[in-house]
Amino acid sequence: MTQRVSRARELLLWLTAGLLTATLAFVITSFTVWDGVQGTAETVRDRTAPAILSTIGAKVELLTANAAAVQSFGSGDVVRSGPGRDYQDQIALASQNLAQSAGLNEAGDKATSELQVIEALLTQYSGEIEQADARYRQPGESTLGLADLWVASRMVDDQREGVRVLLDGLVSDQEQALAQQVAPAWANPVLWLVPAGVLLVLLVWTQWTFSRRFRRIFNPQLIAATALLATAIGIGVWWTAGVNAHLRETRVAVQTVVDSRNDQASQADAARVAKLRQFLDDRCGPGRCGTAVADLAPGPATVPTALTDHDVSAQTEDVGLATEGASSGGWLRWVLPGTGIVIGVLTGWGLWRRLDEYRYQA
């Protein structure tokens, strides 16, 4: 009899050790995974997505500013009011957005270097426009002012190292960073479902063992722990699917804004190219500016119809809604591990009663 009691107590000790180990694994993995999920979602919301929107916004504002400057020179308004208020407002916004993008950058050292080059070129571009303005106002130096305007436009337009090309490369790098963050590495439930599944199986098997070997059909603590674990697994899987869906929505929403802003940029640049061609022909005579007109980057065969700023603002709000949806599960960072701790307490309580019985019998 004593030997049977000893073996039963040994089995209970093994069950206790297995259940508590599985519970500890569930607590650790659930916190690690959901802390990573929440951190990624918050990074996308607070840094990566805003950085992309700031960069593509800077591109539109730069090209709009450039078009406004060319319009001012071409119409002669530059003599009275310089490059114009539109130019000044847009170039200030471009500088502000670039600074914001630099502060939020999540695309690594390469993107940081690109931002530094772009900011330096933007400063140089502004200087060329100011010099063009000053010279164009001076009697007899309008041609030099026109040359400076041309140099400034080429800084934006150059197909190899122009600001526009560099901005496109930067947006691409930032979108790759977003794609890596949206990838379901952290949001994969397998990382915490395995220990959760092991714990669930152990709980069920323990209750079956109690009913077969110890004639204890009901153990309220283990039943409560099993129900709590099953609920936690269901909530975790459901919310994981939601986070993945919201992160995918974020990527699509960001791409939609980028496409719309690129259409706006193309429209602004097409207007700038057409006006600059006309301006050069007016000053030099048709075809007499030589390679200057020929070197202008050809505009697209068809310029897309750009959405209004109001429409783009609505698309940007969609980005915000998607990122908020992805990052709104912060409570799971604590609830799932907390649930594991409660399960551990219930499991220990339920097993301790049986251990106590066999200690008494021994």
Side-chain angles (χ1 to χ4, degrees):
M1 178 68 177
T2 302
Q3 186 177 5
R4 288 179 57 190
V5 170
S6 177
R7 281 202 296 264
R9 182 175 174 78
E10 183 178 353
L11 175 60
L12 284 170
L13 288 172
W14 277 108
L15 286 174
T16 302
L19 284 167
L20 294 181
T21 300
T23 301
L24 181 62
F26 172 72
V27 171
I28 293 172
T29 55
S30 61
F31 176 78
T32 301
V33 169
W34 276 99
D35 187 61
V37 168
Q38 186 67 15
T40 297
E42 289 174 357
T43 298
V44 169
R45 180 194 65 193
D46 298 335
R47 299 184 64 83
T48 313
I52 295 172
L53 299 181
S54 294
T55 303
I56 194 63
K59 175 185 174 181
V60 175
E61 289 146 7
L62 172 60
L63 294 177
T64 302
N66 199 23
V70 170
Q71 172 65 29
S72 181
F73 277 84
S75 64
D77 290 342
V78 66
V79 176
R80 297 186 299 273
S81 57
R85 182 64 178 270
D86 287 344
Y87 163 82
Q88 294 171 352
D89 290 345
Q90 293 298 315
I91 206 68
L93 286 173
S95 297
Q96 180 180 337
N97 270 323
L98 280 178
Q100 183 175 358
S101 181
L104 300 174
N105 177 49
E106 286 287 319
D109 293 339
K110 180 185 176 184
T112 299
S113 299
E114 290 172 341
L115 277 160
Q116 291 172 348
V117 171
I118 292 169
E119 288 176 331
L121 287 174
L122 186 60
T123 300
Q124 187 178 347
Y125 166 82
S126 299
E128 289 290 344
I129 291 292
E130 291 173 4
Q131 182 171 290
D133 174 32
R135 284 180 169 175
Y136 201 83
R137 293 167 182 262
Q138 298 298 319
E141 293 193 10
S142 61
T143 301
L144 292 176
L146 179 58
D148 290 330
L149 176 63
W150 169 251
V151 170
S153 291
R154 291 296 293 164
M155 288 178 62
V156 174
D157 226 17
D158 190 278
Q159 294 300 298
R160 293 175 300 174
E161 52 187 18
V163 181
R164 179 174 58 180
V165 172
L166 294 176
L167 282 168
D168 285 338
L170 178 58
V171 170
S172 178
D173 290 341
Q174 291 172 331
E175 287 184 312
Q176 287 179 13
L178 176 61
Q180 291 173 358
Q181 291 170 342
V182 170
W186 272 118
N188 194 333
V190 172
L191 295 174
W192 64 271
L193 274 179
V194 170
V198 170
L199 177 58
L200 184 62
V201 169
L202 280 175
L203 282 168
V204 173
W205 188 70
T206 298
Q207 292 173 82
W208 178 83
T209 301
F210 276 16
S211 67
R212 291 294 300 271
R213 295 198 57 174
F214 304 117
R215 307 301 180 185
R216 298 291 192 275
I217 298 177
F218 297 107
N219 186 306
Q221 292 81 13
L222 293 183
I223 292 174
T226 304
L228 191 58
L229 178 60
T231 302
I233 290 173
I235 292 175
V237 171
W238 169 71
W239 201 266
T240 298
V243 170
N244 276 320
H246 284 302
L247 286 175
R248 288 193 296 269
E249 289 173 9
T250 297
R251 190 176 178 187
V252 171
V254 167
Q255 187 60 56
T256 298
V257 175
V258 169
D259 291 342
S260 296
R261 297 292 266 169
N262 276 326
D263 288 345
Q264 288 183 317
S266 295
Q267 193 172 67
D269 202 46
R272 189 266 310 178
V273 170
K275 189 63 181 179
L276 189 54
R277 286 179 184 275
Q278 179 186 346
F279 186 32
L280 291 172
D281 283 341
D282 290 345
R283 290 301 304 264
C284 305
R288 295 183 62 187
C289 278
T291 59
V293 174
D295 285 347
L296 280 172
T302 57
V303 178
T305 301
L307 296 177
T308 65
D309 288 338
H310 176 75
D311 294 329
V312 175
S313 294
Q315 293 176 345
T316 304
E317 289 179 6
D318 291 339
V319 174
L321 291 173
T323 56
E324 284 295 335
S327 60
S328 61
W331 53 276
L332 275 175
R333 177 186 288 173
W334 310 106
V335 169
L336 284 180
T339 300
I341 293 172
V342 173
I343 290 171
V345 171
L346 289 171
T347 301
W349 183 12
L351 290 172
W352 180 258
R353 294 176 59 193
R354 302 284 80 79
L355 283 167
D356 195 48
E357 289 178 6
Y358 280 90
R359 181 187 301 114
Y360 176 78
Q361 292 181 28

